[in-house]
Amino acid sequence: LHVLAIALALEVSVGKTNTVMALNNSHVLLPCTFTTCIGFQDLVFTWYFNSTEMIFHGKIKSKASEPVVVARNPRVDFVGSTTGKDNNISIVLQNVEFSDAGKYTCHVKNPKEKNAQHNATIFLTVVHKMVETDNTLTLIIVGVVGGLIGLLILFMLIKRVVLFIIKKIQDGKKECLVSSSGNDNTENGLAGSKAEQKAPAKA
C-alpha cells in the first residue's frame, strides 16, 4: 500500500535547475509542471513570492479544460496549458525589478487525491546586465590535462618501442652465443678425433 501511495502521489517540478537569472526590466519565465497518476479534478494551483505573497491563483476543472485564472498580480501572465502532453502551469513575470529577486513557490492541491498537496521552489536573481562566463581557466585546465594525457600516451609508446628494440637485440645476442658455442664444440671434437688417430711418437 505504501508503494502504491508513492506511485499515485502528486509531484510538482520547476525543471532541472531551481535558479533563474533575469535582466532588470525584462520578462522572465518561471516554469512549473505537475504530474499525477490518477488524474485530477478541480485542481487548485497557486504561486507565492517569498512564501507569503500570492501572485497567481488558478483552478483546473479537469484534463479536458484549460486553467481558469482566479486572481493574479497585474505583472504576472499565465503561459501554461493542461490539455496537452504536460500539465504546465508556468507563469511569466513582466518588467522584472531588483525587488522581484527572491523565492517563488509553485503550490498544487488535487482534491481527487484526497486533497494531496505538493510544491516546488525556484529562486530568481535580477541583474543589471548579463555577464558572459569567462571560460579561460576552464580552457587552460582542459588544455593542460589533454597535454598530460598526450605526453603519457607518447611515453608509453616510446617505452614499448624501446623494450621491443632491447628484446630484439638480446635475442640476436643469444643466437650469436648459441652459434659460437656450437662451432667451438665441433672444432674441439674434430681436433680431439685427429689427436686420437695419431700414433704415439717413437722413443
mmCIF file of all heavy atoms in Angstrom, residues 95-147:
data_model
loop_
_atom_site.group_PDB
_atom_site.id
_atom_site.type_symbol
_atom_site.label_atom_id
_atom_site.label_comp_id
_atom_site.label_asym_id
_atom_site.label_seq_id
_atom_site.Cartn_x
_atom_site.Cartn_y
_atom_site.Cartn_z
ATOM 1 N N ASN A 95 8.419 42.911 -16.764
ATOM 2 C CA ASN A 95 9.149 44.096 -16.281
ATOM 3 C C ASN A 95 9.796 43.847 -14.911
ATOM 4 O O ASN A 95 9.507 44.526 -13.919
ATOM 5 C CB ASN A 95 8.222 45.307 -16.213
ATOM 6 C CG ASN A 95 7.598 45.623 -17.558
ATOM 7 O OD1 ASN A 95 8.262 45.587 -18.589
ATOM 8 N ND2 ASN A 95 6.303 45.909 -17.562
ATOM 9 N N VAL A 96 10.657 42.875 -14.902
ATOM 10 C CA VAL A 96 11.321 42.471 -13.663
ATOM 11 C C VAL A 96 12.112 43.628 -13.044
ATOM 12 O O VAL A 96 12.791 44.381 -13.740
ATOM 13 C CB VAL A 96 12.275 41.282 -13.935
ATOM 14 C CG1 VAL A 96 13.091 40.942 -12.705
ATOM 15 C CG2 VAL A 96 11.478 40.074 -14.380
ATOM 16 N N GLU A 97 11.987 43.751 -11.729
ATOM 17 C CA GLU A 97 12.724 44.756 -10.975
ATOM 18 C C GLU A 97 13.643 44.056 -9.966
ATOM 19 O O GLU A 97 13.475 42.872 -9.683
ATOM 20 C CB GLU A 97 11.742 45.678 -10.231
ATOM 21 C CG GLU A 97 10.780 46.405 -11.154
ATOM 22 C CD GLU A 97 9.697 47.149 -10.372
ATOM 23 O OE1 GLU A 97 9.668 47.014 -9.112
ATOM 24 O OE2 GLU A 97 8.892 47.858 -11.003
ATOM 25 N N PHE A 98 14.594 44.798 -9.428
ATOM 26 C CA PHE A 98 15.521 44.208 -8.459
ATOM 27 C C PHE A 98 14.780 43.697 -7.222
ATOM 28 O O PHE A 98 15.189 42.725 -6.599
ATOM 29 C CB PHE A 98 16.594 45.225 -8.050
ATOM 30 C CG PHE A 98 17.575 45.531 -9.152
ATOM 31 C CD1 PHE A 98 17.556 46.758 -9.796
ATOM 32 C CD2 PHE A 98 18.512 44.583 -9.551
ATOM 33 C CE1 PHE A 98 18.453 47.042 -10.814
ATOM 34 C CE2 PHE A 98 19.423 44.865 -10.564
ATOM 35 C CZ PHE A 98 19.386 46.091 -11.201
ATOM 36 N N SER A 99 13.671 44.357 -6.890
ATOM 37 C CA SER A 99 12.891 43.944 -5.729
ATOM 38 C C SER A 99 12.153 42.625 -5.965
ATOM 39 O O SER A 99 11.630 42.024 -5.018
ATOM 40 C CB SER A 99 11.878 45.041 -5.359
ATOM 41 O OG SER A 99 11.002 45.298 -6.454
ATOM 42 N N ASP A 100 12.105 42.165 -7.214
ATOM 43 C CA ASP A 100 11.445 40.887 -7.532
ATOM 44 C C ASP A 100 12.333 39.684 -7.253
ATOM 45 O O ASP A 100 11.872 38.536 -7.310
ATOM 46 C CB ASP A 100 11.026 40.859 -9.010
ATOM 47 C CG ASP A 100 9.932 41.871 -9.307
ATOM 48 O OD1 ASP A 100 9.050 42.049 -8.452
ATOM 49 O OD2 ASP A 100 9.964 42.474 -10.401
ATOM 50 N N ALA A 101 13.592 39.927 -6.975
ATOM 51 C CA ALA A 101 14.512 38.819 -6.682
ATOM 52 C C ALA A 101 14.068 38.117 -5.406
ATOM 53 O O ALA A 101 13.676 38.766 -4.431
ATOM 54 C CB ALA A 101 15.928 39.343 -6.539
ATOM 55 N N GLY A 102 14.113 36.800 -5.434
ATOM 56 C CA GLY A 102 13.715 36.048 -4.246
ATOM 57 C C GLY A 102 13.201 34.661 -4.583
ATOM 58 O O GLY A 102 13.500 34.108 -5.647
ATOM 59 N N LYS A 103 12.400 34.110 -3.687
ATOM 60 C CA LYS A 103 11.914 32.735 -3.800
ATOM 61 C C LYS A 103 10.480 32.716 -4.331
ATOM 62 O O LYS A 103 9.599 33.390 -3.817
ATOM 63 C CB LYS A 103 11.972 32.056 -2.427
ATOM 64 C CG LYS A 103 11.521 30.607 -2.425
ATOM 65 C CD LYS A 103 11.720 29.962 -1.063
ATOM 66 C CE LYS A 103 10.743 30.508 -0.036
ATOM 67 N NZ LYS A 103 10.801 29.762 1.243
ATOM 68 N N TYR A 104 10.265 31.897 -5.368
ATOM 69 C CA TYR A 104 8.931 31.729 -5.953
ATOM 70 C C TYR A 104 8.513 30.264 -5.794
ATOM 71 O O TYR A 104 9.226 29.362 -6.211
ATOM 72 C CB TYR A 104 8.927 32.138 -7.421
ATOM 73 C CG TYR A 104 9.076 33.633 -7.621
ATOM 74 C CD1 TYR A 104 10.330 34.233 -7.567
ATOM 75 C CD2 TYR A 104 7.953 34.433 -7.829
ATOM 76 C CE1 TYR A 104 10.468 35.609 -7.714
ATOM 77 C CE2 TYR A 104 8.092 35.813 -7.985
ATOM 78 C CZ TYR A 104 9.349 36.390 -7.917
ATOM 79 O OH TYR A 104 9.471 37.750 -8.062
ATOM 80 N N THR A 105 7.347 30.069 -5.190
ATOM 81 C CA THR A 105 6.868 28.717 -4.899
ATOM 82 C C THR A 105 5.614 28.401 -5.700
ATOM 83 O O THR A 105 4.658 29.180 -5.703
ATOM 84 C CB THR A 105 6.558 28.560 -3.399
ATOM 85 O OG1 THR A 105 7.727 28.875 -2.648
ATOM 86 C CG2 THR A 105 6.127 27.134 -3.086
ATOM 87 N N CYS A 106 5.668 27.265 -6.384
ATOM 88 C CA CYS A 106 4.527 26.777 -7.162
ATOM 89 C C CYS A 106 3.845 25.688 -6.328
ATOM 90 O O CYS A 106 4.421 24.624 -6.104
ATOM 91 C CB CYS A 106 5.025 26.229 -8.496
ATOM 92 S SG CYS A 106 3.742 25.523 -9.542
ATOM 93 N N HIS A 107 2.631 25.964 -5.879
ATOM 94 C CA HIS A 107 1.920 25.053 -4.970
ATOM 95 C C HIS A 107 0.696 24.469 -5.674
ATOM 96 O O HIS A 107 -0.063 25.190 -6.331
ATOM 97 C CB HIS A 107 1.496 25.810 -3.714
ATOM 98 C CG HIS A 107 0.768 24.959 -2.722
ATOM 99 N ND1 HIS A 107 -0.602 24.786 -2.755
ATOM 100 C CD2 HIS A 107 1.226 24.210 -1.682
ATOM 101 C CE1 HIS A 107 -0.962 23.980 -1.766
ATOM 102 N NE2 HIS A 107 0.129 23.611 -1.099
ATOM 103 N N VAL A 108 0.498 23.158 -5.551
ATOM 104 C CA VAL A 108 -0.615 22.473 -6.222
ATOM 105 C C VAL A 108 -1.389 21.623 -5.213
ATOM 106 O O VAL A 108 -0.782 20.949 -4.368
ATOM 107 C CB VAL A 108 -0.107 21.574 -7.372
ATOM 108 C CG1 VAL A 108 -1.276 20.839 -8.035
ATOM 109 C CG2 VAL A 108 0.648 22.404 -8.405
ATOM 110 N N LYS A 109 -2.714 21.653 -5.331
ATOM 111 C CA LYS A 109 -3.584 20.836 -4.471
ATOM 112 C C LYS A 109 -4.581 20.092 -5.347
ATOM 113 O O LYS A 109 -5.267 20.693 -6.173
ATOM 114 C CB LYS A 109 -4.324 21.725 -3.470
ATOM 115 C CG LYS A 109 -5.272 20.979 -2.553
ATOM 116 C CD LYS A 109 -5.962 21.950 -1.602
ATOM 117 C CE LYS A 109 -6.954 21.235 -0.700
ATOM 118 N NZ LYS A 109 -7.633 22.183 0.216
ATOM 119 N N ASN A 110 -4.639 18.761 -5.188
ATOM 120 C CA ASN A 110 -5.505 17.930 -6.024
ATOM 121 C C ASN A 110 -6.556 17.207 -5.167
ATOM 122 O O ASN A 110 -6.246 16.211 -4.502
ATOM 123 C CB ASN A 110 -4.657 16.904 -6.782
ATOM 124 C CG ASN A 110 -5.491 16.095 -7.764
ATOM 125 O OD1 ASN A 110 -6.599 16.479 -8.122
ATOM 126 N ND2 ASN A 110 -4.951 14.969 -8.201
ATOM 127 N N PRO A 111 -7.805 17.671 -5.178
ATOM 128 C CA PRO A 111 -8.864 17.034 -4.386
ATOM 129 C C PRO A 111 -9.085 15.559 -4.742
ATOM 130 O O PRO A 111 -9.494 14.771 -3.886
ATOM 131 C CB PRO A 111 -10.101 17.870 -4.733
ATOM 132 C CG PRO A 111 -9.552 19.193 -5.134
ATOM 133 C CD PRO A 111 -8.279 18.880 -5.857
ATOM 134 N N LYS A 112 -8.801 15.187 -5.997
ATOM 135 C CA LYS A 112 -9.019 13.810 -6.422
ATOM 136 C C LYS A 112 -8.082 12.848 -5.703
ATOM 137 O O LYS A 112 -8.357 11.652 -5.609
ATOM 138 C CB LYS A 112 -8.847 13.707 -7.940
ATOM 139 C CG LYS A 112 -9.331 12.384 -8.521
ATOM 140 C CD LYS A 112 -9.322 12.418 -10.044
ATOM 141 C CE LYS A 112 -9.866 11.108 -10.592
ATOM 142 N NZ LYS A 112 -9.921 11.105 -12.079
ATOM 143 N N GLU A 113 -6.989 13.345 -5.194
ATOM 144 C CA GLU A 113 -6.026 12.517 -4.450
ATOM 145 C C GLU A 113 -6.149 12.816 -2.954
ATOM 146 O O GLU A 113 -5.153 12.971 -2.261
ATOM 147 C CB GLU A 113 -4.598 12.796 -4.925
ATOM 148 C CG GLU A 113 -4.238 12.181 -6.256
ATOM 149 C CD GLU A 113 -2.753 12.338 -6.559
ATOM 150 O OE1 GLU A 113 -1.933 11.648 -5.921
ATOM 151 O OE2 GLU A 113 -2.413 13.147 -7.429
ATOM 152 N N LYS A 114 -7.387 12.891 -2.488
ATOM 153 C CA LYS A 114 -7.652 13.177 -1.064
ATOM 154 C C LYS A 114 -6.956 14.467 -0.643
ATOM 155 O O LYS A 114 -6.303 14.535 0.402
ATOM 156 C CB LYS A 114 -7.205 12.006 -0.189
ATOM 157 C CG LYS A 114 -7.965 10.718 -0.455
ATOM 158 C CD LYS A 114 -7.498 9.595 0.456
ATOM 159 C CE LYS A 114 -8.282 8.315 0.180
ATOM 160 N NZ LYS A 114 -7.852 7.196 1.063
ATOM 161 N N ASN A 115 -7.095 15.481 -1.502
ATOM 162 C CA ASN A 115 -6.522 16.811 -1.258
ATOM 163 C C ASN A 115 -4.997 16.780 -1.093
ATOM 164 O O ASN A 115 -4.422 17.527 -0.285
ATOM 165 C CB ASN A 115 -7.164 17.474 -0.036
ATOM 166 C CG ASN A 115 -8.575 17.952 -0.338
ATOM 167 O OD1 ASN A 115 -8.858 18.424 -1.438
ATOM 168 N ND2 ASN A 115 -9.468 17.822 0.638
ATOM 169 N N ALA A 116 -4.355 15.893 -1.835
ATOM 170 C CA ALA A 116 -2.887 15.823 -1.803
ATOM 171 C C ALA A 116 -2.306 17.166 -2.239
ATOM 172 O O ALA A 116 -2.811 17.814 -3.163
ATOM 173 C CB ALA A 116 -2.396 14.716 -2.729
ATOM 174 N N GLN A 117 -1.233 17.587 -1.566
ATOM 175 C CA GLN A 117 -0.600 18.869 -1.881
ATOM 176 C C GLN A 117 0.901 18.680 -2.075
ATOM 177 O O GLN A 117 1.519 17.843 -1.414
ATOM 178 C CB GLN A 117 -0.841 19.869 -0.745
ATOM 179 C CG GLN A 117 -2.306 20.155 -0.473
ATOM 180 C CD GLN A 117 -2.494 21.179 0.629
ATOM 181 O OE1 GLN A 117 -1.901 22.256 0.581
ATOM 182 N NE2 GLN A 117 -3.325 20.849 1.624
ATOM 183 N N HIS A 118 1.440 19.472 -2.976
ATOM 184 C CA HIS A 118 2.883 19.418 -3.206
ATOM 185 C C HIS A 118 3.319 20.752 -3.783
ATOM 186 O O HIS A 118 2.521 21.458 -4.407
ATOM 187 C CB HIS A 118 3.240 18.279 -4.159
ATOM 188 C CG HIS A 118 4.695 17.913 -4.119
ATOM 189 N ND1 HIS A 118 5.589 18.298 -5.087
ATOM 190 C CD2 HIS A 118 5.412 17.208 -3.207
ATOM 191 C CE1 HIS A 118 6.793 17.842 -4.776
ATOM 192 N NE2 HIS A 118 6.712 17.168 -3.634
ATOM 193 N N ASN A 119 4.585 21.110 -3.600
ATOM 194 C CA ASN A 119 5.076 22.368 -4.163
ATOM 195 C C ASN A 119 6.541 22.244 -4.560
ATOM 196 O O ASN A 119 7.238 21.311 -4.140
ATOM 197 C CB ASN A 119 4.872 23.529 -3.181
ATOM 198 C CG ASN A 119 5.626 23.338 -1.882
ATOM 199 O OD1 ASN A 119 6.851 23.316 -1.856
ATOM 200 N ND2 ASN A 119 4.889 23.175 -0.782
ATOM 201 N N ALA A 120 6.981 23.197 -5.355
ATOM 202 C CA ALA A 120 8.379 23.270 -5.786
ATOM 203 C C ALA A 120 8.776 24.737 -5.793
ATOM 204 O O ALA A 120 7.958 25.622 -6.045
ATOM 205 C CB ALA A 120 8.548 22.660 -7.172
ATOM 206 N N THR A 121 10.049 24.988 -5.525
ATOM 207 C CA THR A 121 10.532 26.364 -5.368
ATOM 208 C C THR A 121 11.603 26.702 -6.392
ATOM 209 O O THR A 121 12.454 25.872 -6.718
ATOM 210 C CB THR A 121 11.096 26.570 -3.946
ATOM 211 O OG1 THR A 121 10.063 26.309 -2.996
ATOM 212 C CG2 THR A 121 11.602 27.985 -3.765
ATOM 213 N N ILE A 122 11.528 27.942 -6.870
ATOM 214 C CA ILE A 122 12.538 28.432 -7.808
ATOM 215 C C ILE A 122 13.034 29.782 -7.305
ATOM 216 O O ILE A 122 12.263 30.582 -6.775
ATOM 217 C CB ILE A 122 11.937 28.542 -9.236
ATOM 218 C CG1 ILE A 122 13.030 28.786 -10.263
ATOM 219 C CG2 ILE A 122 10.865 29.611 -9.323
ATOM 220 C CD1 ILE A 122 12.570 28.573 -11.695
ATOM 221 N N PHE A 123 14.339 30.019 -7.443
ATOM 222 C CA PHE A 123 14.940 31.255 -6.938
ATOM 223 C C PHE A 123 15.313 32.170 -8.105
ATOM 224 O O PHE A 123 16.007 31.754 -9.032
ATOM 225 C CB PHE A 123 16.181 30.937 -6.098
ATOM 226 C CG PHE A 123 15.867 30.165 -4.848
ATOM 227 C CD1 PHE A 123 15.863 28.771 -4.865
ATOM 228 C CD2 PHE A 123 15.565 30.819 -3.668
ATOM 229 C CE1 PHE A 123 15.570 28.048 -3.716
ATOM 230 C CE2 PHE A 123 15.264 30.114 -2.517
ATOM 231 C CZ PHE A 123 15.263 28.723 -2.541
ATOM 232 N N LEU A 124 14.852 33.403 -8.027
ATOM 233 C CA LEU A 124 15.094 34.383 -9.088
ATOM 234 C C LEU A 124 16.146 35.393 -8.653
ATOM 235 O O LEU A 124 16.060 35.973 -7.572
ATOM 236 C CB LEU A 124 13.793 35.113 -9.434
ATOM 237 C CG LEU A 124 13.911 36.284 -10.426
ATOM 238 C CD1 LEU A 124 14.367 35.796 -11.800
ATOM 239 C CD2 LEU A 124 12.581 37.032 -10.527
ATOM 240 N N THR A 125 17.122 35.598 -9.523
ATOM 241 C CA THR A 125 18.144 36.621 -9.322
ATOM 242 C C THR A 125 18.002 37.657 -10.419
ATOM 243 O O THR A 125 17.901 37.312 -11.599
ATOM 244 C CB THR A 125 19.566 36.017 -9.373
ATOM 245 O OG1 THR A 125 19.670 34.985 -8.389
ATOM 246 C CG2 THR A 125 20.621 37.071 -9.116
ATOM 247 N N VAL A 126 17.975 38.931 -10.049
ATOM 248 C CA VAL A 126 17.844 40.025 -11.022
ATOM 249 C C VAL A 126 19.165 40.765 -11.089
ATOM 250 O O VAL A 126 19.726 41.154 -10.059
ATOM 251 C CB VAL A 126 16.704 40.990 -10.618
ATOM 252 C CG1 VAL A 126 16.552 42.091 -11.658
ATOM 253 C CG2 VAL A 126 15.389 40.221 -10.463
ATOM 254 N N VAL A 127 19.667 40.959 -12.317
ATOM 255 C CA VAL A 127 20.965 41.603 -12.504
ATOM 256 C C VAL A 127 20.841 42.824 -13.406
ATOM 257 O O VAL A 127 19.894 42.951 -14.191
ATOM 258 C CB VAL A 127 21.990 40.616 -13.105
ATOM 259 C CG1 VAL A 127 22.266 39.474 -12.146
ATOM 260 C CG2 VAL A 127 21.497 40.075 -14.442
ATOM 261 N N HIS A 128 21.816 43.720 -13.270
ATOM 262 C CA HIS A 128 21.831 44.939 -14.079
ATOM 263 C C HIS A 128 22.177 44.628 -15.529
ATOM 264 O O HIS A 128 21.637 45.209 -16.466
ATOM 265 C CB HIS A 128 22.836 45.939 -13.494
ATOM 266 C CG HIS A 128 22.934 47.216 -14.268
ATOM 267 N ND1 HIS A 128 21.897 48.121 -14.371
ATOM 268 C CD2 HIS A 128 23.959 47.731 -15.012
ATOM 269 C CE1 HIS A 128 22.272 49.151 -15.118
ATOM 270 N NE2 HIS A 128 23.513 48.936 -15.527
ATOM 271 N N LYS A 129 23.114 43.683 -15.706
ATOM 272 C CA LYS A 129 23.464 43.237 -17.052
ATOM 273 C C LYS A 129 23.979 41.814 -16.985
ATOM 274 O O LYS A 129 24.506 41.379 -15.959
ATOM 275 C CB LYS A 129 24.508 44.146 -17.701
ATOM 276 C CG LYS A 129 25.860 44.145 -17.006
ATOM 277 C CD LYS A 129 26.850 45.028 -17.754
ATOM 278 C CE LYS A 129 28.215 45.012 -17.072
ATOM 279 N NZ LYS A 129 29.213 45.830 -17.825
ATOM 280 N N MET A 130 23.780 41.094 -18.066
ATOM 281 C CA MET A 130 24.233 39.710 -18.125
ATOM 282 C C MET A 130 25.745 39.696 -18.334
ATOM 283 O O MET A 130 26.260 40.375 -19.229
ATOM 284 C CB MET A 130 23.543 38.953 -19.264
ATOM 285 C CG MET A 130 22.059 38.747 -19.032
ATOM 286 S SD MET A 130 21.749 37.663 -17.630
ATOM 287 C CE MET A 130 19.960 37.498 -17.725
ATOM 288 N N VAL A 131 26.443 38.965 -17.497
ATOM 289 C CA VAL A 131 27.897 38.862 -17.601
ATOM 290 C C VAL A 131 28.237 37.547 -18.269
ATOM 291 O O VAL A 131 27.762 36.485 -17.853
ATOM 292 C CB VAL A 131 28.556 38.923 -16.200
ATOM 293 C CG1 VAL A 131 30.072 38.788 -16.315
ATOM 294 C CG2 VAL A 131 28.174 40.224 -15.507
ATOM 295 N N GLU A 132 29.051 37.635 -19.320
ATOM 296 C CA GLU A 132 29.472 36.429 -20.021
ATOM 297 C C GLU A 132 30.424 35.643 -19.135
ATOM 298 O O GLU A 132 31.305 36.200 -18.492
ATOM 299 C CB GLU A 132 30.170 36.776 -21.341
ATOM 300 C CG GLU A 132 29.227 37.389 -22.372
ATOM 301 C CD GLU A 132 29.933 37.611 -23.701
ATOM 302 O OE1 GLU A 132 31.096 37.179 -23.820
ATOM 303 O OE2 GLU A 132 29.312 38.193 -24.602
ATOM 304 N N THR A 133 30.233 34.358 -19.111
ATOM 305 C CA THR A 133 31.086 33.487 -18.299
ATOM 306 C C THR A 133 32.474 33.397 -18.915
ATOM 307 O O THR A 133 32.628 33.135 -20.104
ATOM 308 C CB THR A 133 30.471 32.072 -18.212
ATOM 309 O OG1 THR A 133 29.142 32.199 -17.711
ATOM 310 C CG2 THR A 133 31.280 31.185 -17.291
ATOM 311 N N ASP A 134 33.475 33.661 -18.090
ATOM 312 C CA ASP A 134 34.863 33.572 -18.554
ATOM 313 C C ASP A 134 35.325 32.118 -18.473
ATOM 314 O O ASP A 134 35.508 31.574 -17.385
ATOM 315 C CB ASP A 134 35.754 34.461 -17.688
ATOM 316 C CG ASP A 134 37.175 34.531 -18.230
ATOM 317 O OD1 ASP A 134 37.426 33.942 -19.302
ATOM 318 O OD2 ASP A 134 38.028 35.168 -17.580
ATOM 319 N N ASN A 135 35.508 31.526 -19.647
ATOM 320 C CA ASN A 135 35.894 30.111 -19.709
ATOM 321 C C ASN A 135 37.401 29.926 -19.883
ATOM 322 O O ASN A 135 37.850 28.824 -20.185
ATOM 323 C CB ASN A 135 35.165 29.423 -20.874
ATOM 324 C CG ASN A 135 33.671 29.347 -20.621
ATOM 325 O OD1 ASN A 135 33.240 29.144 -19.494
ATOM 326 N ND2 ASN A 135 32.887 29.521 -21.669
ATOM 327 N N THR A 136 38.169 31.023 -19.692
ATOM 328 C CA THR A 136 39.616 30.935 -19.909
ATOM 329 C C THR A 136 40.253 29.888 -19.012
ATOM 330 O O THR A 136 41.022 29.042 -19.464
ATOM 331 C CB THR A 136 40.274 32.304 -19.642
ATOM 332 O OG1 THR A 136 39.644 33.297 -20.462
ATOM 333 C CG2 THR A 136 41.764 32.253 -19.966
ATOM 334 N N LEU A 137 39.929 29.936 -17.713
ATOM 335 C CA LEU A 137 40.503 28.987 -16.772
ATOM 336 C C LEU A 137 40.131 27.553 -17.129
ATOM 337 O O LEU A 137 40.970 26.650 -17.089
ATOM 338 C CB LEU A 137 40.032 29.310 -15.348
ATOM 339 C CG LEU A 137 40.595 28.429 -14.225
ATOM 340 C CD1 LEU A 137 42.125 28.524 -14.196
ATOM 341 C CD2 LEU A 137 40.003 28.815 -12.881
ATOM 342 N N THR A 138 38.876 27.369 -17.517
ATOM 343 C CA THR A 138 38.415 26.029 -17.903
ATOM 344 C C THR A 138 39.192 25.521 -19.113
ATOM 345 O O THR A 138 39.614 24.362 -19.155
ATOM 346 C CB THR A 138 36.913 26.054 -18.229
ATOM 347 O OG1 THR A 138 36.200 26.556 -17.095
ATOM 348 C CG2 THR A 138 36.391 24.663 -18.562
ATOM 349 N N LEU A 139 39.382 26.404 -20.092
ATOM 350 C CA LEU A 139 40.117 26.020 -21.305
ATOM 351 C C LEU A 139 41.572 25.676 -20.975
ATOM 352 O O LEU A 139 42.139 24.738 -21.534
ATOM 353 C CB LEU A 139 40.062 27.159 -22.330
ATOM 354 C CG LEU A 139 38.692 27.438 -22.960
ATOM 355 C CD1 LEU A 139 38.741 28.683 -23.832
ATOM 356 C CD2 LEU A 139 38.223 26.248 -23.780
ATOM 357 N N ILE A 140 42.171 26.452 -20.061
ATOM 358 C CA ILE A 140 43.560 26.185 -19.657
ATOM 359 C C ILE A 140 43.658 24.815 -18.996
ATOM 360 O O ILE A 140 44.551 24.019 -19.300
ATOM 361 C CB ILE A 140 44.081 27.285 -18.703
ATOM 362 C CG1 ILE A 140 44.238 28.609 -19.464
ATOM 363 C CG2 ILE A 140 45.407 26.865 -18.066
ATOM 364 C CD1 ILE A 140 44.571 29.791 -18.578
ATOM 365 N N ILE A 141 42.728 24.549 -18.065
ATOM 366 C CA ILE A 141 42.733 23.261 -17.359
ATOM 367 C C ILE A 141 42.560 22.107 -18.338
ATOM 368 O O ILE A 141 43.269 21.104 -18.281
ATOM 369 C CB ILE A 141 41.619 23.234 -16.286
ATOM 370 C CG1 ILE A 141 41.948 24.236 -15.171
ATOM 371 C CG2 ILE A 141 41.473 21.823 -15.699
ATOM 372 C CD1 ILE A 141 40.836 24.430 -14.174
ATOM 373 N N VAL A 142 41.604 22.261 -19.262
ATOM 374 C CA VAL A 142 41.354 21.215 -20.259
ATOM 375 C C VAL A 142 42.594 21.004 -21.124
ATOM 376 O O VAL A 142 42.977 19.870 -21.431
ATOM 377 C CB VAL A 142 40.139 21.579 -21.140
ATOM 378 C CG1 VAL A 142 40.024 20.619 -22.311
ATOM 379 C CG2 VAL A 142 38.859 21.546 -20.312
ATOM 380 N N GLY A 143 43.249 22.132 -21.509
ATOM 381 C CA GLY A 143 44.450 22.040 -22.335
ATOM 382 C C GLY A 143 45.586 21.323 -21.616
ATOM 383 O O GLY A 143 46.268 20.476 -22.196
ATOM 384 N N VAL A 144 45.781 21.677 -20.332
ATOM 385 C CA VAL A 144 46.850 21.053 -19.542
ATOM 386 C C VAL A 144 46.595 19.556 -19.370
ATOM 387 O O VAL A 144 47.492 18.730 -19.558
ATOM 388 C CB VAL A 144 46.979 21.735 -18.162
ATOM 389 C CG1 VAL A 144 47.912 20.944 -17.258
ATOM 390 C CG2 VAL A 144 47.505 23.158 -18.322
ATOM 391 N N VAL A 145 45.363 19.219 -19.000
ATOM 392 C CA VAL A 145 45.011 17.806 -18.813
ATOM 393 C C VAL A 145 45.183 17.035 -20.117
ATOM 394 O O VAL A 145 45.745 15.935 -20.141
ATOM 395 C CB VAL A 145 43.561 17.663 -18.296
ATOM 396 C CG1 VAL A 145 43.131 16.199 -18.292
ATOM 397 C CG2 VAL A 145 43.437 18.242 -16.894
ATOM 398 N N GLY A 146 44.711 17.640 -21.221
ATOM 399 C CA GLY A 146 44.865 16.989 -22.527
ATOM 400 C C GLY A 146 46.331 16.799 -22.892
ATOM 401 O O GLY A 146 46.721 15.747 -23.404
ATOM 402 N N GLY A 147 47.158 17.817 -22.587
ATOM 403 C CA GLY A 147 48.586 17.726 -22.869
ATOM 404 C C GLY A 147 49.256 16.623 -22.064
ATOM 405 O O GLY A 147 50.080 15.870 -22.575
#
